[in-house]
């Protein structure tokens, strides 16, 4: 049993294979967070209790019963304002009488088999006998506001999920101004914070800094996850490396604005609070109503690599859903960087024909096939074929492409609208705009009000017609701007603080309807590249276009940075043209293949214009990818170098049974008198002899991991190398 209650000591202990988590209910009913970290069995961790004379350090708890009990220093599970905890809190309320204090005390708990679900929100799922759920109910006695804390314990996966539900059991309206998903207190230790910053065309750059005596806020007020920050943070011991050291991951499964607050207080206790962005949030909770926060996925591991492995497995098996998430993915050709908006049936068919000859499985028709879409000024919202570009309709092109033995996929951007569209002319009140104020445009488009059912019904109608009337195997779901003018013309004045979250709930509702009614369609997420790359989207779309930057060298940090939390099978990655359209850099086609193959693989360039040698290389890459795909997508991923430093970047895949491995190396720039290209491999079986396909060597796992391997010098600009290792025999 992974959740145990000790009645006498009022202890709740959650156990996974390598971690323990313990909560104690104190005599006043407050939940103390006693421990999260390496496994400590059933040990009562309250011997570490932080009893101090706190008469001057903050108010004692509600009834002032204990001079040595201050909520300001006690590690807790979920904290509120007004009762003496001055650190960042988990929840902020406006009570019916205007007061803002809340104090939640234990009422009861239940332990149930299986994993809880969250109404209208994505949540990790149990594949059968994998999880147990703990639900702790607390109540503010004065206002009858109830708080339910949910814990999903996935023992074998070393994952604990958390979320909260707030129920108004009172008689009048309460307003929530903040409702975080999780609070994690680490009372001891010396911690660094890792987060993943970025921008359009350079998402998820890892950054690691010591946590100082201040509050650090990481988040997005953009109504979307954002290119700038990702809702995944790591708290790791200052000495932690890829291989060892205490590491905590906190990942929010949510696709809207979010906030992570990390505070180190006067006694060096660190608190991390993570949840939806509360900057402009105000949610009216009528009597009897509940509010559910999104889910946070927690993991504790020894070393950053093990932490990544926990998230990779979990996202693959317990977040992504549908028929495709564990299946081989089609290698695709996307026309975007080949033609941009300048598409027609002949050009598309010529591209598809070339792709089919190279062994590519699927053709994807990107932006520009619908409405009056000749550039990015018009057409969004009109999801009907543009007969000037495709005079014979979609079916003519699709059947020709299917005739080549290829599947067909198509691009949409459902949440957006152009002023110059039939949809806008018919429904000017459907986008988010402020009354009487000029809206702010981005890429000449506005954002539809996804909180509205009529908007979602229209989109469902268009998209379900598209999918049922045509043989479409794949949808690329784009979202090319962040949200502004957050005002819904369908909601009353006092509910405008709910719009951002209702937008995300609306998006999820539409995605749920479409993915469940069209289960065979593979959905790929996208947001101007990787602006909405999160576990919430991955629940609906098992892969997401990682970045609009397709430059192989830049991709090394984007893919490497993303790999801390997300599996490579979730990362759309394409070989594009040289010189690269974003950076102007020329890299060899071999290198571009090596990098893009560590993802959901495809091509995005005009194949009809390539020299024969490049086509031969593409044919070889597609064959190789099909052979290696299982190892790449299901294997364990190891970062062999720091993805942000050095003149070469290397990473490795090892099959779970350690019988196969693929090592990848890319030179990222010139270096005078270069140091040897030396790597120590990881994850192999030390007592197994491995053959290396590329050079015929046979070397033991122990030697390859302890002494390592030195690659021969490589000539030219940005060369790359791959090594395939296969176990030959036990030693
Ligand atoms: C942004 C995406 O990331 C690109 O791949 C492409 O689909 C464009 N949008 C189309 O407008």
């Amino acid at each position: 049993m992974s959740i145990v209650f000790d009645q006498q000591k009022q202890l709740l202990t959650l156990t996974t294979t390598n971690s323990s988590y313990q909560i104690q209910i104190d005599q006043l009913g407050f939940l103390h967070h006693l421990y999260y970290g390496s496994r400590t069995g059933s040990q009562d961790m309250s011997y570490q209790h932080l009893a101090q004379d706190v008469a001057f350090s903050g108010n004692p708890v509600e009834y002032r019963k204990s001079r040595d009990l201050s909520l300001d220093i006690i590690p807790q599970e979920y904290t509120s304002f007004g009762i003496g905890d001055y650190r960042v809190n988990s929840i902020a309320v406006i009570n019916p009488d205007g007061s803002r204090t809340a104090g939640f005390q234990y009422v009861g708990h239940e332990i149930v088999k299986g994993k809880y679900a969250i109404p209208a929100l994505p949540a990790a799922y149990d594949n059968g006998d994998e999880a147990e759920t703990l639900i702790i109910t607390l109540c503010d006695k004065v206002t009858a506001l109830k708080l339910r804390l949910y814990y999903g314990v996935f023992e074998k996966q070393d994952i604990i999920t958390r979320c909260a539900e707030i129920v108004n059991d009172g008689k009048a309206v309460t307003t929530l101004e903040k409702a975080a998903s999780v609070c994690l207190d680490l009372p001891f230790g010396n911690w660094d914070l890792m987060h993943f910053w970025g921008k359009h065309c350079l998402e998820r750059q890892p950054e690691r800094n010591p946590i100082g005596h201040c509050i650090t806020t990481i988040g997005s007020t953009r109504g979307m996850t954002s290119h700038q920050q990702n809702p995944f943070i790591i708290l790791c011991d200052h000495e932690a490396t890829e291989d060892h050291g205490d590491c905590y991951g906190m990942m929010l499964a949510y696709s809207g604005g979010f906030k992570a607050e990390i505070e180190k207080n006067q006694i060096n206790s660190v608190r991390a609070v993570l949840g939806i962005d509360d900057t402009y949030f105000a949610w009216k909770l009528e009597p009897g109503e509940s509010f559910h926060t999104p889910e946070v996925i927690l993991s504790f591991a020894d070393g950053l690599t093990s932490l990544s492995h926990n998230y990779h497995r979990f996202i693959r098996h317990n977040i992504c859903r549908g028929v495709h998430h564990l299946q081989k993915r089609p290698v695709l050709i996307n026309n975007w960087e080949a033609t941009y908006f300048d598409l027609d049936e002949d050009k598309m068919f010529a591209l598809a024909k070339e792709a089919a000859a190279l062994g590519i499985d699927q053709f994807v028709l990107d932006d520009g096939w619908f409405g009056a879409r000749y550039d990015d000024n018009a057409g969004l919202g009109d999801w009907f074929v543009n007969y000037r570009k495709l005079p014979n309709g979609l079916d003519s092109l699709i059947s020709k492409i299917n005739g080549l033995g290829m599947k067909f996929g198509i691009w949409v951007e459902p949440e957006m609208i152009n002023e110059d569209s039939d949809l806008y002319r018919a429904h000017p009140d459907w986008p988010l705009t402020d009354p009487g104020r000029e809206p702010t445009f981005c890429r000449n488009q506005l954002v539809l009000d996804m909180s509205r059912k009529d908007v979602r019904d229209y989109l469902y109608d268009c998209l379900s017609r598209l999918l049922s009337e045509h043989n479409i195997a794949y949808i690329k779901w784009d979202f090319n701007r962040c949200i502004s003018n957050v005002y819904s013309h369908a909601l009353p004045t006092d509910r405008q603080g709910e719009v951002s979250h209702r937008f995300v709930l609306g998006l999820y509702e539409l995605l749920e309807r479409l993915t469940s009614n069209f289960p065979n369609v593979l959905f790929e997420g996208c947001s101007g590249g990787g602006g909405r790359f999160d576990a919430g989207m991955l629940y609906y779309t098992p892969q997401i276009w990682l970045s609009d930057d397709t430059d192989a060298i830049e991709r090394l940090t984007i893919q490497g940075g993303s790999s801390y939390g997300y599996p490579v099978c979730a990362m759309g990655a394409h070989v594009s043209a040289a010189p690269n359209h974003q950076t102007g850099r020329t890299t060899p086609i071999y290198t571009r293949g090596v990098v893009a193959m560590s993802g959901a693989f495809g091509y995005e360039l005009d194949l009809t214009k390539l020299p024969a040698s490049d086509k031969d290389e593409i044919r070889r890459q597609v064959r190789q990818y099909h052979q290696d795909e299982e190892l790449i997508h299901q294997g364990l991923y190891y970062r062999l170098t720091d993805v942000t430093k050095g003149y070469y970047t290397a990473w490795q895949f090892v099959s779970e049974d350690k019988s196969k491995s693929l090592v990848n190396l890319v030179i990222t720039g010139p270096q005078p008198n270069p140091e040897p290209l030396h790597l120590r491999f990881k994850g192999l079986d030390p007592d197994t002899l491995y053959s290396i396909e590329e050079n015929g060597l046979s070397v033991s796992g122990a030697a390859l991991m302890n002494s390592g391997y030195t690659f021969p010098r490589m000539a030219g600009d940005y060369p790359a190398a791959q090594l395939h290792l296969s176990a030959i025999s036990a030693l």
Side-chain angles (χ1 to χ4, degrees), residues 327-332 359 361 543 568-573 593-603 617-634 653 662 722 724:
Q327 268 181 18
K328 290 196 166 192
R329 309 283 168 77
V331 175
L332 57 88
D361 309 306
Q543 61 189 57
V568 296
C569 63
M571 305 179 195
V594 167
V595 176
M597 268 189 232
S598 287
F601 186 46
Y603 292 84
E617 172 56 15
I618 291 176
R619 207 173 281 115
R620 188 201 65 74
Q621 287 174 359
V622 174
R623 265 201 316 273
Q624 186 199 321
Y625 184 71
H626 282 307
Q627 279 160 19
D628 290 341
E629 186 181 342
E630 198 177 324
L631 173 60
I632 292 172
H633 283 194
Q634 309 295 331
F653 299 98
L662 172 65
Q722 287 188 313
H724 288 82

Short mmCIF file of all heavy atoms in Angstrom, two decimals, residues 327-332 359 361 543 568-573 593-603 617-634 653 662 722 724:
data_model
loop_
_atom_site.label_atom_id
_atom_site.label_comp_id
_atom_site.label_asym_id
_atom_site.label_seq_id
_atom_site.Cartn_x
_atom_site.Cartn_y
_atom_site.Cartn_z
N GLN A 327 2.39 4.36 -30.10
CA GLN A 327 2.65 3.75 -31.41
C GLN A 327 3.76 4.49 -32.14
O GLN A 327 4.06 5.63 -31.83
CB GLN A 327 1.39 3.85 -32.26
CG GLN A 327 0.51 2.64 -32.15
CD GLN A 327 -0.72 2.82 -33.04
OE1 GLN A 327 -0.74 3.65 -33.95
NE2 GLN A 327 -1.74 2.03 -32.76
N LYS A 328 4.30 3.81 -33.16
CA LYS A 328 5.27 4.49 -34.02
C LYS A 328 4.58 5.65 -34.71
O LYS A 328 3.43 5.54 -35.14
CB LYS A 328 5.81 3.51 -35.05
CG LYS A 328 6.70 2.46 -34.42
CD LYS A 328 7.52 1.76 -35.47
CE LYS A 328 8.63 0.99 -34.79
NZ LYS A 328 9.62 0.51 -35.70
N ARG A 329 5.28 6.76 -34.82
CA ARG A 329 4.70 7.95 -35.46
C ARG A 329 5.12 8.00 -36.93
O ARG A 329 6.23 7.58 -37.28
CB ARG A 329 5.19 9.22 -34.77
CG ARG A 329 5.03 9.23 -33.27
CD ARG A 329 3.60 9.51 -32.83
NE ARG A 329 3.43 9.23 -31.41
CZ ARG A 329 3.86 10.03 -30.44
NH1 ARG A 329 4.45 11.17 -30.73
NH2 ARG A 329 3.68 9.70 -29.19
N PRO A 330 4.25 8.53 -37.76
CA PRO A 330 4.62 8.65 -39.18
C PRO A 330 5.74 9.68 -39.37
O PRO A 330 5.75 10.71 -38.70
CB PRO A 330 3.33 9.14 -39.83
CG PRO A 330 2.56 9.79 -38.73
CD PRO A 330 2.93 9.08 -37.46
N VAL A 331 6.65 9.40 -40.28
CA VAL A 331 7.63 10.43 -40.69
C VAL A 331 6.90 11.33 -41.67
O VAL A 331 6.28 10.85 -42.62
CB VAL A 331 8.85 9.78 -41.37
CG1 VAL A 331 9.80 10.85 -41.89
CG2 VAL A 331 9.57 8.85 -40.40
N LEU A 332 6.95 12.62 -41.44
CA LEU A 332 6.11 13.47 -42.28
C LEU A 332 6.90 14.52 -43.06
O LEU A 332 8.02 14.89 -42.70
CB LEU A 332 5.02 14.13 -41.43
CG LEU A 332 5.43 14.98 -40.24
CD1 LEU A 332 5.68 16.41 -40.66
CD2 LEU A 332 4.31 14.95 -39.20
N GLY A 359 10.45 7.59 -49.09
CA GLY A 359 10.00 6.72 -48.00
C GLY A 359 9.22 7.42 -46.91
O GLY A 359 8.90 6.83 -45.88
N ASP A 361 6.15 9.00 -44.81
CA ASP A 361 4.86 8.34 -44.62
C ASP A 361 3.65 9.26 -44.74
O ASP A 361 2.54 8.79 -44.99
CB ASP A 361 4.77 7.76 -43.19
CG ASP A 361 5.97 6.91 -42.84
OD1 ASP A 361 6.26 6.00 -43.62
OD2 ASP A 361 6.61 7.18 -41.80
N GLN A 543 2.07 14.74 -29.37
CA GLN A 543 3.29 15.42 -29.80
C GLN A 543 2.99 16.89 -30.05
O GLN A 543 1.85 17.27 -30.34
CB GLN A 543 3.91 14.75 -31.02
CG GLN A 543 3.05 14.73 -32.28
CD GLN A 543 3.65 13.87 -33.37
OE1 GLN A 543 3.92 12.69 -33.18
NE2 GLN A 543 3.89 14.47 -34.53
N VAL A 568 11.22 12.66 -25.66
CA VAL A 568 11.49 13.07 -27.04
C VAL A 568 10.34 12.73 -27.98
O VAL A 568 10.15 13.42 -28.98
CB VAL A 568 12.82 12.50 -27.59
CG1 VAL A 568 14.01 13.00 -26.83
CG2 VAL A 568 12.81 11.01 -27.66
N CYS A 569 9.56 11.69 -27.67
CA CYS A 569 8.45 11.35 -28.58
C CYS A 569 7.41 12.47 -28.63
O CYS A 569 6.58 12.51 -29.52
CB CYS A 569 7.81 10.02 -28.19
SG CYS A 569 7.06 10.05 -26.57
N ALA A 570 7.47 13.40 -27.67
CA ALA A 570 6.52 14.52 -27.66
C ALA A 570 7.02 15.71 -28.45
O ALA A 570 6.29 16.69 -28.64
CB ALA A 570 6.27 14.95 -26.21
N MET A 571 8.27 15.66 -28.92
CA MET A 571 8.88 16.86 -29.51
C MET A 571 8.91 16.79 -31.03
O MET A 571 9.74 16.07 -31.61
CB MET A 571 10.34 16.99 -29.03
CG MET A 571 10.52 16.99 -27.54
SD MET A 571 12.29 17.11 -27.15
CE MET A 571 12.28 16.63 -25.43
N GLY A 572 8.04 17.52 -31.70
CA GLY A 572 8.07 17.57 -33.16
C GLY A 572 9.39 18.18 -33.61
O GLY A 572 9.79 19.25 -33.13
N ALA A 573 10.10 17.49 -34.52
CA ALA A 573 11.43 17.94 -34.95
C ALA A 573 11.61 17.61 -36.42
O ALA A 573 11.43 16.45 -36.82
CB ALA A 573 12.50 17.24 -34.10
N GLY A 593 19.72 15.61 -39.81
CA GLY A 593 19.01 14.35 -39.58
C GLY A 593 19.25 13.82 -38.18
O GLY A 593 18.32 13.41 -37.48
N VAL A 594 20.50 13.86 -37.74
CA VAL A 594 20.84 13.35 -36.40
C VAL A 594 20.01 14.08 -35.34
O VAL A 594 19.45 13.49 -34.42
CB VAL A 594 22.35 13.51 -36.11
CG1 VAL A 594 22.67 13.29 -34.64
CG2 VAL A 594 23.16 12.55 -36.99
N VAL A 595 19.91 15.41 -35.49
CA VAL A 595 19.21 16.20 -34.47
C VAL A 595 17.70 15.96 -34.55
O VAL A 595 17.04 15.70 -33.53
CB VAL A 595 19.55 17.70 -34.63
CG1 VAL A 595 18.75 18.54 -33.63
CG2 VAL A 595 21.05 17.92 -34.43
N ALA A 596 17.14 16.02 -35.75
CA ALA A 596 15.68 15.89 -35.86
C ALA A 596 15.19 14.48 -35.51
O ALA A 596 14.07 14.31 -35.04
CB ALA A 596 15.23 16.28 -37.27
N MET A 597 16.07 13.49 -35.72
CA MET A 597 15.65 12.12 -35.39
C MET A 597 15.38 11.94 -33.90
O MET A 597 14.70 11.01 -33.50
CB MET A 597 16.74 11.13 -35.81
CG MET A 597 16.55 10.60 -37.18
SD MET A 597 17.71 9.28 -37.45
CE MET A 597 18.44 9.83 -38.95
N SER A 598 15.94 12.82 -33.06
CA SER A 598 15.67 12.71 -31.62
C SER A 598 14.38 13.45 -31.30
O SER A 598 14.33 14.36 -30.46
CB SER A 598 16.82 13.30 -30.81
OG SER A 598 17.92 12.42 -30.88
N GLY A 599 13.33 13.06 -31.98
CA GLY A 599 12.04 13.71 -31.78
C GLY A 599 10.99 12.96 -32.57
O GLY A 599 11.22 11.85 -33.05
N ALA A 600 9.81 13.58 -32.71
CA ALA A 600 8.79 13.07 -33.63
C ALA A 600 9.19 13.63 -34.99
O ALA A 600 9.00 14.80 -35.27
CB ALA A 600 7.41 13.52 -33.20
N PHE A 601 9.75 12.75 -35.81
CA PHE A 601 10.62 13.12 -36.93
C PHE A 601 9.85 13.51 -38.19
O PHE A 601 8.80 12.94 -38.50
CB PHE A 601 11.48 11.90 -37.21
CG PHE A 601 12.56 12.06 -38.24
CD1 PHE A 601 13.39 13.17 -38.25
CD2 PHE A 601 12.76 11.07 -39.18
CE1 PHE A 601 14.40 13.29 -39.19
CE2 PHE A 601 13.76 11.17 -40.13
CZ PHE A 601 14.58 12.29 -40.13
N GLY A 602 10.43 14.45 -38.93
CA GLY A 602 9.84 14.80 -40.21
C GLY A 602 10.75 15.72 -41.00
O GLY A 602 11.88 16.03 -40.59
N TYR A 603 10.23 16.17 -42.14
CA TYR A 603 10.96 17.07 -43.04
C TYR A 603 10.10 18.28 -43.33
O TYR A 603 8.87 18.19 -43.37
CB TYR A 603 11.32 16.33 -44.34
CG TYR A 603 12.35 15.26 -44.08
CD1 TYR A 603 11.96 14.00 -43.64
CD2 TYR A 603 13.71 15.52 -44.22
CE1 TYR A 603 12.90 13.01 -43.35
CE2 TYR A 603 14.65 14.55 -43.94
CZ TYR A 603 14.25 13.30 -43.50
OH TYR A 603 15.18 12.35 -43.21
N GLU A 617 20.58 10.72 -48.90
CA GLU A 617 20.76 10.79 -47.45
C GLU A 617 19.39 10.76 -46.74
O GLU A 617 19.22 10.10 -45.71
CB GLU A 617 21.55 12.06 -47.08
CG GLU A 617 21.65 12.37 -45.61
CD GLU A 617 22.25 11.28 -44.72
OE1 GLU A 617 22.86 10.33 -45.22
OE2 GLU A 617 22.06 11.38 -43.48
N ILE A 618 18.40 11.45 -47.30
CA ILE A 618 17.07 11.45 -46.68
C ILE A 618 16.49 10.03 -46.70
O ILE A 618 15.93 9.56 -45.69
CB ILE A 618 16.13 12.45 -47.39
CG1 ILE A 618 16.59 13.88 -47.08
CG2 ILE A 618 14.68 12.25 -46.97
CD1 ILE A 618 15.82 14.97 -47.78
N ARG A 619 16.66 9.36 -47.82
CA ARG A 619 16.15 7.97 -47.93
C ARG A 619 16.78 7.11 -46.82
O ARG A 619 16.11 6.36 -46.14
CB ARG A 619 16.50 7.42 -49.31
CG ARG A 619 15.54 6.36 -49.79
CD ARG A 619 15.81 5.95 -51.23
NE ARG A 619 15.29 6.86 -52.23
CZ ARG A 619 16.02 7.57 -53.09
NH1 ARG A 619 17.34 7.50 -53.07
NH2 ARG A 619 15.45 8.35 -53.98
N ARG A 620 18.07 7.31 -46.63
CA ARG A 620 18.78 6.54 -45.60
C ARG A 620 18.28 6.92 -44.20
O ARG A 620 18.06 6.07 -43.35
CB ARG A 620 20.30 6.82 -45.71
CG ARG A 620 21.17 5.93 -44.83
CD ARG A 620 22.53 6.54 -44.57
NE ARG A 620 22.48 7.76 -43.78
CZ ARG A 620 22.23 7.81 -42.47
NH1 ARG A 620 22.01 6.70 -41.79
NH2 ARG A 620 22.19 8.97 -41.83
N GLN A 621 18.09 8.23 -43.98
CA GLN A 621 17.63 8.68 -42.66
C GLN A 621 16.27 8.09 -42.31
O GLN A 621 16.03 7.65 -41.19
CB GLN A 621 17.53 10.21 -42.63
CG GLN A 621 18.88 10.91 -42.60
CD GLN A 621 18.77 12.43 -42.71
OE1 GLN A 621 17.68 12.99 -42.84
NE2 GLN A 621 19.91 13.11 -42.68
N VAL A 622 15.36 8.10 -43.28
CA VAL A 622 14.01 7.59 -43.00
C VAL A 622 14.08 6.11 -42.64
O VAL A 622 13.44 5.65 -41.67
CB VAL A 622 13.07 7.84 -44.21
CG1 VAL A 622 11.71 7.19 -43.98
CG2 VAL A 622 12.90 9.33 -44.46
N ARG A 623 14.90 5.37 -43.40
CA ARG A 623 15.07 3.92 -43.09
C ARG A 623 15.63 3.75 -41.68
O ARG A 623 15.13 2.98 -40.89
CB ARG A 623 16.03 3.28 -44.09
CG ARG A 623 15.36 2.60 -45.27
CD ARG A 623 16.27 1.58 -45.93
NE ARG A 623 17.65 2.03 -46.12
CZ ARG A 623 18.09 2.71 -47.19
NH1 ARG A 623 17.28 3.01 -48.17
NH2 ARG A 623 19.37 3.07 -47.28
N GLN A 624 16.67 4.54 -41.39
CA GLN A 624 17.31 4.42 -40.07
C GLN A 624 16.34 4.79 -38.96
O GLN A 624 16.27 4.13 -37.91
CB GLN A 624 18.54 5.33 -39.99
CG GLN A 624 19.31 5.10 -38.68
CD GLN A 624 20.23 6.24 -38.32
OE1 GLN A 624 20.87 6.82 -39.20
NE2 GLN A 624 20.32 6.56 -37.04
N TYR A 625 15.57 5.85 -39.18
CA TYR A 625 14.63 6.29 -38.14
C TYR A 625 13.63 5.18 -37.82
O TYR A 625 13.34 4.92 -36.65
CB TYR A 625 13.91 7.55 -38.58
CG TYR A 625 13.00 8.11 -37.52
CD1 TYR A 625 13.53 8.71 -36.39
CD2 TYR A 625 11.62 8.01 -37.64
CE1 TYR A 625 12.70 9.23 -35.40
CE2 TYR A 625 10.79 8.52 -36.66
CZ TYR A 625 11.34 9.13 -35.54
OH TYR A 625 10.52 9.63 -34.57
N HIS A 626 13.13 4.55 -38.86
CA HIS A 626 12.17 3.47 -38.62
C HIS A 626 12.81 2.35 -37.80
O HIS A 626 12.16 1.76 -36.94
CB HIS A 626 11.59 2.95 -39.93
CG HIS A 626 10.52 3.86 -40.48
ND1 HIS A 626 9.44 4.26 -39.73
CD2 HIS A 626 10.37 4.45 -41.68
CE1 HIS A 626 8.67 5.07 -40.44
NE2 HIS A 626 9.21 5.21 -41.65
N GLN A 627 14.10 2.09 -38.06
CA GLN A 627 14.78 1.04 -37.27
C GLN A 627 15.01 1.47 -35.82
O GLN A 627 14.90 0.68 -34.90
CB GLN A 627 16.14 0.72 -37.90
CG GLN A 627 16.04 -0.23 -39.08
CD GLN A 627 17.30 -0.14 -39.95
OE1 GLN A 627 18.34 0.34 -39.52
NE2 GLN A 627 17.18 -0.60 -41.19
N ASP A 628 15.34 2.74 -35.64
CA ASP A 628 15.72 3.21 -34.30
C ASP A 628 14.57 3.78 -33.49
O ASP A 628 14.75 4.12 -32.32
CB ASP A 628 16.78 4.32 -34.42
CG ASP A 628 18.12 3.79 -34.91
OD1 ASP A 628 18.34 2.57 -34.82
OD2 ASP A 628 18.94 4.60 -35.39
N GLU A 629 13.40 3.92 -34.10
CA GLU A 629 12.36 4.72 -33.45
C GLU A 629 11.99 4.21 -32.06
O GLU A 629 11.83 4.99 -31.12
CB GLU A 629 11.11 4.80 -34.33
CG GLU A 629 10.09 5.75 -33.71
CD GLU A 629 8.80 5.89 -34.48
OE1 GLU A 629 8.76 5.53 -35.67
OE2 GLU A 629 7.83 6.35 -33.87
N GLU A 630 11.89 2.91 -31.93
CA GLU A 630 11.48 2.39 -30.62
C GLU A 630 12.51 2.75 -29.55
O GLU A 630 12.18 3.17 -28.44
CB GLU A 630 11.29 0.88 -30.71
CG GLU A 630 10.48 0.38 -29.55
CD GLU A 630 10.22 -1.11 -29.64
OE1 GLU A 630 10.04 -1.62 -30.77
OE2 GLU A 630 10.22 -1.74 -28.57
N LEU A 631 13.79 2.58 -29.91
CA LEU A 631 14.87 2.92 -28.98
C LEU A 631 14.82 4.41 -28.62
O LEU A 631 14.95 4.80 -27.45
CB LEU A 631 16.20 2.56 -29.64
CG LEU A 631 17.50 2.96 -28.95
CD1 LEU A 631 17.60 2.34 -27.58
CD2 LEU A 631 18.70 2.55 -29.81
N ILE A 632 14.58 5.25 -29.62
CA ILE A 632 14.57 6.70 -29.38
C ILE A 632 13.34 7.10 -28.56
O ILE A 632 13.44 7.87 -27.60
CB ILE A 632 14.60 7.45 -30.73
CG1 ILE A 632 15.95 7.23 -31.42
CG2 ILE A 632 14.34 8.93 -30.54
CD1 ILE A 632 16.02 7.77 -32.85
N HIS A 633 12.19 6.58 -28.92
CA HIS A 633 10.96 7.04 -28.28
C HIS A 633 10.68 6.36 -26.94
O HIS A 633 10.08 6.94 -26.05
CB HIS A 633 9.76 6.85 -29.21
CG HIS A 633 9.70 7.91 -30.27
ND1 HIS A 633 8.60 8.12 -31.05
CD2 HIS A 633 10.61 8.83 -30.68
CE1 HIS A 633 8.83 9.11 -31.89
NE2 HIS A 633 10.06 9.55 -31.68
N GLN A 634 11.09 5.12 -26.81
CA GLN A 634 10.77 4.39 -25.56
C GLN A 634 11.99 4.19 -24.68
O GLN A 634 11.87 3.76 -23.53
CB GLN A 634 10.15 3.01 -25.87
CG GLN A 634 8.97 3.03 -26.84
CD GLN A 634 7.77 3.77 -26.28
OE1 GLN A 634 7.56 3.82 -25.07
NE2 GLN A 634 6.98 4.37 -27.16
N PHE A 653 20.58 7.28 -26.12
CA PHE A 653 19.38 6.50 -25.79
C PHE A 653 19.82 5.09 -25.44
O PHE A 653 20.69 4.52 -26.10
CB PHE A 653 18.44 6.41 -26.99
CG PHE A 653 17.94 7.76 -27.46
CD1 PHE A 653 18.53 8.41 -28.53
CD2 PHE A 653 16.90 8.39 -26.80
CE1 PHE A 653 18.10 9.66 -28.95
CE2 PHE A 653 16.45 9.64 -27.21
CZ PHE A 653 17.04 10.27 -28.29
N LEU A 662 21.97 4.12 -28.64
CA LEU A 662 22.32 5.01 -29.75
C LEU A 662 22.96 6.27 -29.14
O LEU A 662 22.34 6.93 -28.30
CB LEU A 662 21.06 5.40 -30.53
CG LEU A 662 21.21 6.47 -31.60
CD1 LEU A 662 22.13 6.01 -32.73
CD2 LEU A 662 19.84 6.86 -32.19
N GLN A 722 26.94 9.34 -35.11
CA GLN A 722 26.06 8.46 -34.33
C GLN A 722 26.76 7.13 -34.16
O GLN A 722 27.45 6.66 -35.06
CB GLN A 722 24.74 8.22 -35.06
CG GLN A 722 23.80 9.42 -35.06
CD GLN A 722 22.44 9.08 -35.62
OE1 GLN A 722 22.34 8.44 -36.67
NE2 GLN A 722 21.39 9.48 -34.93
N HIS A 724 25.78 3.15 -32.98
CA HIS A 724 24.77 2.17 -32.57
C HIS A 724 25.46 1.05 -31.81
O HIS A 724 26.36 0.40 -32.34
CB HIS A 724 24.07 1.57 -33.80
CG HIS A 724 23.14 2.52 -34.47
ND1 HIS A 724 23.55 3.47 -35.37
CD2 HIS A 724 21.79 2.65 -34.37
CE1 HIS A 724 22.50 4.16 -35.80
NE2 HIS A 724 21.42 3.68 -35.21
#
